[in-house]
PDB file of all heavy atoms in Angstrom:
ATOM      1  N   ARG S 984     197.353  44.341 200.283  1.00 75.00           N
ATOM      2  CA  ARG S 984     198.663  44.590 200.888  1.00 75.00           C
ATOM      3  C   ARG S 984     199.303  45.797 200.220  1.00 75.00           C
ATOM      4  O   ARG S 984     199.382  45.871 198.989  1.00 75.00           O
ATOM      5  CB  ARG S 984     199.565  43.371 200.737  1.00 75.00           C
ATOM      6  CG  ARG S 984     199.079  42.145 201.491  1.00 75.00           C
ATOM      7  CD  ARG S 984     199.994  40.968 201.241  1.00 75.00           C
ATOM      8  NE  ARG S 984     201.339  41.233 201.730  1.00 75.00           N
ATOM      9  CZ  ARG S 984     201.743  41.004 202.977  1.00 75.00           C
ATOM     10  NH1 ARG S 984     200.886  40.512 203.860  1.00 75.00           N
ATOM     11  NH2 ARG S 984     202.972  41.262 203.354  1.00 75.00           N
ATOM     12  N   PRO S 985     199.782  46.745 201.012  1.00 74.00           N
ATOM     13  CA  PRO S 985     200.462  47.906 200.416  1.00 74.00           C
ATOM     14  C   PRO S 985     201.807  47.493 199.823  1.00 74.00           C
ATOM     15  O   PRO S 985     202.459  46.570 200.330  1.00 74.00           O
ATOM     16  CB  PRO S 985     200.648  48.858 201.608  1.00 74.00           C
ATOM     17  CG  PRO S 985     200.670  47.960 202.800  1.00 74.00           C
ATOM     18  CD  PRO S 985     199.725  46.831 202.482  1.00 74.00           C
ATOM     19  N   ASP S 986     202.212  48.175 198.746  1.00 77.00           N
ATOM     20  CA  ASP S 986     203.520  47.878 198.184  1.00 77.00           C
ATOM     21  C   ASP S 986     204.598  48.472 199.083  1.00 77.00           C
ATOM     22  O   ASP S 986     204.315  49.109 200.102  1.00 77.00           O
ATOM     23  CB  ASP S 986     203.632  48.411 196.755  1.00 77.00           C
ATOM     24  CG  ASP S 986     203.370  49.915 196.651  1.00 77.00           C
ATOM     25  OD1 ASP S 986     203.674  50.642 197.625  1.00 77.00           O
ATOM     26  OD2 ASP S 986     202.849  50.363 195.623  1.00 77.00           O
ATOM     27  N   THR S 987     205.859  48.256 198.718  1.00 79.00           N
ATOM     28  CA  THR S 987     206.975  48.653 199.584  1.00 79.00           C
ATOM     29  C   THR S 987     206.981  50.150 199.841  1.00 79.00           C
ATOM     30  O   THR S 987     207.144  50.600 200.984  1.00 79.00           O
ATOM     31  CB  THR S 987     208.306  48.230 198.949  1.00 79.00           C
ATOM     32  OG1 THR S 987     208.307  46.815 198.743  1.00 79.00           O
ATOM     33  CG2 THR S 987     209.466  48.607 199.871  1.00 79.00           C
ATOM     34  N   ARG S 988     206.784  50.946 198.791  1.00 84.00           N
ATOM     35  CA  ARG S 988     206.813  52.408 198.957  1.00 84.00           C
ATOM     36  C   ARG S 988     205.655  52.877 199.821  1.00 84.00           C
ATOM     37  O   ARG S 988     205.841  53.721 200.715  1.00 84.00           O
ATOM     38  CB  ARG S 988     206.752  53.081 197.591  1.00 84.00           C
ATOM     39  CG  ARG S 988     206.832  54.607 197.649  1.00 84.00           C
ATOM     40  CD  ARG S 988     206.947  55.179 196.239  1.00 84.00           C
ATOM     41  NE  ARG S 988     207.011  56.627 196.265  1.00 84.00           N
ATOM     42  CZ  ARG S 988     205.952  57.428 196.291  1.00 84.00           C
ATOM     43  NH1 ARG S 988     204.728  56.892 196.302  1.00 84.00           N
ATOM     44  NH2 ARG S 988     206.089  58.739 196.299  1.00 84.00           N
ATOM     45  N   GLN S 989     204.463  52.325 199.574  1.00 84.00           N
ATOM     46  CA  GLN S 989     203.312  52.732 200.369  1.00 84.00           C
ATOM     47  C   GLN S 989     203.459  52.291 201.816  1.00 84.00           C
ATOM     48  O   GLN S 989     203.086  53.019 202.735  1.00 84.00           O
ATOM     49  CB  GLN S 989     202.033  52.151 199.778  1.00 84.00           C
ATOM     50  CG  GLN S 989     200.759  52.662 200.440  1.00 84.00           C
ATOM     51  CD  GLN S 989     199.504  52.090 199.823  1.00 84.00           C
ATOM     52  OE1 GLN S 989     199.533  51.008 199.223  1.00 84.00           O
ATOM     53  NE2 GLN S 989     198.392  52.801 199.961  1.00 84.00           N
ATOM     54  N   ARG S 990     204.028  51.100 202.043  1.00 86.00           N
ATOM     55  CA  ARG S 990     204.219  50.628 203.410  1.00 86.00           C
ATOM     56  C   ARG S 990     205.168  51.549 204.179  1.00 86.00           C
ATOM     57  O   ARG S 990     204.958  51.839 205.358  1.00 86.00           O
ATOM     58  CB  ARG S 990     204.768  49.197 203.400  1.00 86.00           C
ATOM     59  CG  ARG S 990     204.811  48.553 204.789  1.00 86.00           C
ATOM     60  CD  ARG S 990     205.384  47.156 204.751  1.00 86.00           C
ATOM     61  NE  ARG S 990     204.575  46.280 203.913  1.00 86.00           N
ATOM     62  CZ  ARG S 990     204.975  45.786 202.764  1.00 86.00           C
ATOM     63  NH1 ARG S 990     206.182  46.084 202.277  1.00 86.00           N
ATOM     64  NH2 ARG S 990     204.193  44.995 202.068  1.00 86.00           N
ATOM     65  N   ARG S 991     206.205  52.006 203.503  1.00 89.00           N
ATOM     66  CA  ARG S 991     207.139  52.935 204.162  1.00 89.00           C
ATOM     67  C   ARG S 991     206.436  54.228 204.548  1.00 89.00           C
ATOM     68  O   ARG S 991     206.668  54.759 205.638  1.00 89.00           O
ATOM     69  CB  ARG S 991     208.310  53.226 203.233  1.00 89.00           C
ATOM     70  CG  ARG S 991     209.269  52.053 203.039  1.00 89.00           C
ATOM     71  CD  ARG S 991     210.327  52.393 202.005  1.00 89.00           C
ATOM     72  NE  ARG S 991     211.240  51.274 201.800  1.00 89.00           N
ATOM     73  CZ  ARG S 991     212.175  51.238 200.850  1.00 89.00           C
ATOM     74  NH1 ARG S 991     212.309  52.286 200.018  1.00 89.00           N
ATOM     75  NH2 ARG S 991     212.954  50.204 200.733  1.00 89.00           N
ATOM     76  N   MET S 992     205.603  54.732 203.669  1.00 90.00           N
ATOM     77  CA  MET S 992     204.891  55.971 203.966  1.00 90.00           C
ATOM     78  C   MET S 992     203.891  55.766 205.099  1.00 90.00           C
ATOM     79  O   MET S 992     203.722  56.645 205.956  1.00 90.00           O
ATOM     80  CB  MET S 992     204.187  56.475 202.711  1.00 90.00           C
ATOM     81  CG  MET S 992     205.129  56.891 201.591  1.00 90.00           C
ATOM     82  SD  MET S 992     204.255  57.548 200.147  1.00 90.00           S
ATOM     83  CE  MET S 992     203.537  59.021 200.856  1.00 90.00           C
ATOM     84  N   ILE S 993     203.230  54.605 205.120  1.00 90.00           N
ATOM     85  CA  ILE S 993     202.290  54.314 206.206  1.00 90.00           C
ATOM     86  C   ILE S 993     203.028  54.213 207.531  1.00 90.00           C
ATOM     87  O   ILE S 993     202.582  54.744 208.563  1.00 90.00           O
ATOM     88  CB  ILE S 993     201.509  53.017 205.907  1.00 90.00           C
ATOM     89  CG1 ILE S 993     200.558  53.232 204.729  1.00 90.00           C
ATOM     90  CG2 ILE S 993     200.720  52.568 207.132  1.00 90.00           C
ATOM     91  CD1 ILE S 993     199.844  51.979 204.274  1.00 90.00           C
ATOM     92  N   HIS S 994     204.183  53.537 207.526  1.00 91.00           N
ATOM     93  CA  HIS S 994     204.976  53.430 208.758  1.00 91.00           C
ATOM     94  C   HIS S 994     205.464  54.804 209.216  1.00 91.00           C
ATOM     95  O   HIS S 994     205.494  55.093 210.414  1.00 91.00           O
ATOM     96  CB  HIS S 994     206.164  52.491 208.535  1.00 91.00           C
ATOM     97  CG  HIS S 994     205.758  51.051 208.425  1.00 91.00           C
ATOM     98  ND1 HIS S 994     206.615  50.071 207.964  1.00 91.00           N
ATOM     99  CD2 HIS S 994     204.591  50.419 208.703  1.00 91.00           C
ATOM    100  CE1 HIS S 994     205.988  48.905 207.974  1.00 91.00           C
ATOM    101  NE2 HIS S 994     204.757  49.097 208.421  1.00 91.00           N
ATOM    102  N   LEU S 995     205.850  55.648 208.254  1.00 92.00           N
ATOM    103  CA  LEU S 995     206.275  57.002 208.612  1.00 92.00           C
ATOM    104  C   LEU S 995     205.127  57.782 209.237  1.00 92.00           C
ATOM    105  O   LEU S 995     205.317  58.493 210.232  1.00 92.00           O
ATOM    106  CB  LEU S 995     206.789  57.737 207.372  1.00 92.00           C
ATOM    107  CG  LEU S 995     207.197  59.201 207.575  1.00 92.00           C
ATOM    108  CD1 LEU S 995     208.295  59.319 208.624  1.00 92.00           C
ATOM    109  CD2 LEU S 995     207.644  59.832 206.250  1.00 92.00           C
ATOM    110  N   SER S 996     203.918  57.633 208.678  1.00 91.00           N
ATOM    111  CA  SER S 996     202.756  58.319 209.263  1.00 91.00           C
ATOM    112  C   SER S 996     202.480  57.800 210.673  1.00 91.00           C
ATOM    113  O   SER S 996     202.071  58.566 211.555  1.00 91.00           O
ATOM    114  CB  SER S 996     201.527  58.132 208.372  1.00 91.00           C
ATOM    115  OG  SER S 996     201.082  56.785 208.365  1.00 91.00           O
ATOM    116  N   GLY S 997     202.704  56.490 210.906  1.00 92.00           N
ATOM    117  CA  GLY S 997     202.534  55.939 212.251  1.00 92.00           C
ATOM    118  C   GLY S 997     203.542  56.497 213.230  1.00 92.00           C
ATOM    119  O   GLY S 997     203.207  56.810 214.380  1.00 92.00           O
ATOM    120  N   LEU S 998     204.785  56.631 212.786  1.00 93.00           N
ATOM    121  CA  LEU S 998     205.809  57.211 213.663  1.00 93.00           C
ATOM    122  C   LEU S 998     205.484  58.664 213.995  1.00 93.00           C
ATOM    123  O   LEU S 998     205.673  59.124 215.123  1.00 93.00           O
ATOM    124  CB  LEU S 998     207.182  57.107 212.998  1.00 93.00           C
ATOM    125  CG  LEU S 998     207.793  55.705 212.915  1.00 93.00           C
ATOM    126  CD1 LEU S 998     209.058  55.731 212.061  1.00 93.00           C
ATOM    127  CD2 LEU S 998     208.113  55.179 214.313  1.00 93.00           C
ATOM    128  N   LEU S 999     204.964  59.396 212.998  1.00 92.00           N
ATOM    129  CA  LEU S 999     204.610  60.798 213.231  1.00 92.00           C
ATOM    130  C   LEU S 999     203.388  60.916 214.139  1.00 92.00           C
ATOM    131  O   LEU S 999     203.422  61.614 215.161  1.00 92.00           O
ATOM    132  CB  LEU S 999     204.323  61.497 211.901  1.00 92.00           C
ATOM    133  CG  LEU S 999     205.504  61.949 211.060  1.00 92.00           C
ATOM    134  CD1 LEU S 999     205.015  62.540 209.742  1.00 92.00           C
ATOM    135  CD2 LEU S 999     206.337  62.976 211.807  1.00 92.00           C
ATOM    136  N   GLY S1000     202.286  60.238 213.737  1.00 90.00           N
ATOM    137  CA  GLY S1000     201.016  60.413 214.441  1.00 90.00           C
ATOM    138  C   GLY S1000     200.926  59.689 215.763  1.00 90.00           C
ATOM    139  O   GLY S1000     200.061  60.020 216.582  1.00 90.00           O
ATOM    140  N   ILE S1001     201.803  58.696 215.991  1.00 91.00           N
ATOM    141  CA  ILE S1001     201.735  57.936 217.236  1.00 91.00           C
ATOM    142  C   ILE S1001     202.959  58.221 218.110  1.00 91.00           C
ATOM    143  O   ILE S1001     202.850  58.804 219.183  1.00 91.00           O
ATOM    144  CB  ILE S1001     201.583  56.433 216.952  1.00 91.00           C
ATOM    145  CG1 ILE S1001     200.228  56.170 216.287  1.00 91.00           C
ATOM    146  CG2 ILE S1001     201.698  55.621 218.242  1.00 91.00           C
ATOM    147  CD1 ILE S1001     199.990  54.729 215.893  1.00 91.00           C
ATOM    148  N   THR S1002     204.146  57.824 217.629  1.00 94.00           N
ATOM    149  CA  THR S1002     205.331  57.971 218.479  1.00 94.00           C
ATOM    150  C   THR S1002     205.652  59.432 218.767  1.00 94.00           C
ATOM    151  O   THR S1002     205.663  59.867 219.919  1.00 94.00           O
ATOM    152  CB  THR S1002     206.546  57.289 217.825  1.00 94.00           C
ATOM    153  OG1 THR S1002     206.229  55.931 217.534  1.00 94.00           O
ATOM    154  CG2 THR S1002     207.736  57.329 218.777  1.00 94.00           C
ATOM    155  N   VAL S1003     205.922  60.194 217.702  1.00 95.00           N
ATOM    156  CA  VAL S1003     206.377  61.576 217.910  1.00 95.00           C
ATOM    157  C   VAL S1003     205.275  62.415 218.556  1.00 95.00           C
ATOM    158  O   VAL S1003     205.521  63.141 219.531  1.00 95.00           O
ATOM    159  CB  VAL S1003     206.812  62.200 216.569  1.00 95.00           C
ATOM    160  CG1 VAL S1003     207.268  63.648 216.781  1.00 95.00           C
ATOM    161  CG2 VAL S1003     207.936  61.385 215.948  1.00 95.00           C
ATOM    162  N   TYR S1004     204.044  62.297 218.020  1.00 93.00           N
ATOM    163  CA  TYR S1004     202.972  63.127 218.562  1.00 93.00           C
ATOM    164  C   TYR S1004     202.702  62.822 220.023  1.00 93.00           C
ATOM    165  O   TYR S1004     202.592  63.732 220.851  1.00 93.00           O
ATOM    166  CB  TYR S1004     201.690  62.958 217.752  1.00 93.00           C
ATOM    167  CG  TYR S1004     200.515  63.652 218.400  1.00 93.00           C
ATOM    168  CD1 TYR S1004     200.410  65.032 218.377  1.00 93.00           C
ATOM    169  CD2 TYR S1004     199.552  62.924 219.092  1.00 93.00           C
ATOM    170  CE1 TYR S1004     199.360  65.679 219.012  1.00 93.00           C
ATOM    171  CE2 TYR S1004     198.499  63.558 219.722  1.00 93.00           C
ATOM    172  CZ  TYR S1004     198.407  64.942 219.678  1.00 93.00           C
ATOM    173  OH  TYR S1004     197.377  65.569 220.323  1.00 93.00           O
ATOM    174  N   PHE S1005     202.576  61.540 220.377  1.00 91.00           N
ATOM    175  CA  PHE S1005     202.211  61.207 221.747  1.00 91.00           C
ATOM    176  C   PHE S1005     203.368  61.350 222.727  1.00 91.00           C
ATOM    177  O   PHE S1005     203.139  61.508 223.927  1.00 91.00           O
ATOM    178  CB  PHE S1005     201.596  59.803 221.815  1.00 91.00           C
ATOM    179  CG  PHE S1005     200.167  59.769 221.362  1.00 91.00           C
ATOM    180  CD1 PHE S1005     199.845  59.362 220.078  1.00 91.00           C
ATOM    181  CD2 PHE S1005     199.147  60.175 222.208  1.00 91.00           C
ATOM    182  CE1 PHE S1005     198.525  59.343 219.649  1.00 91.00           C
ATOM    183  CE2 PHE S1005     197.835  60.171 221.790  1.00 91.00           C
ATOM    184  CZ  PHE S1005     197.520  59.751 220.508  1.00 91.00           C
TER     185      PHE S1005
END
Side-chain angles (χ1 to χ4, degrees):
R984 295 178 62 87
D986 57 31
T987 302
R988 182 173 179 274
Q989 187 179 24
R990 188 181 299 112
R991 289 175 181 172
M992 295 182 65
I993 291 174
H994 288 167
L995 177 59
S996 68
L998 288 172
L999 281 176
I1001 294 177
T1002 305
V1003 179
Y1004 172 73
F1005 282 99

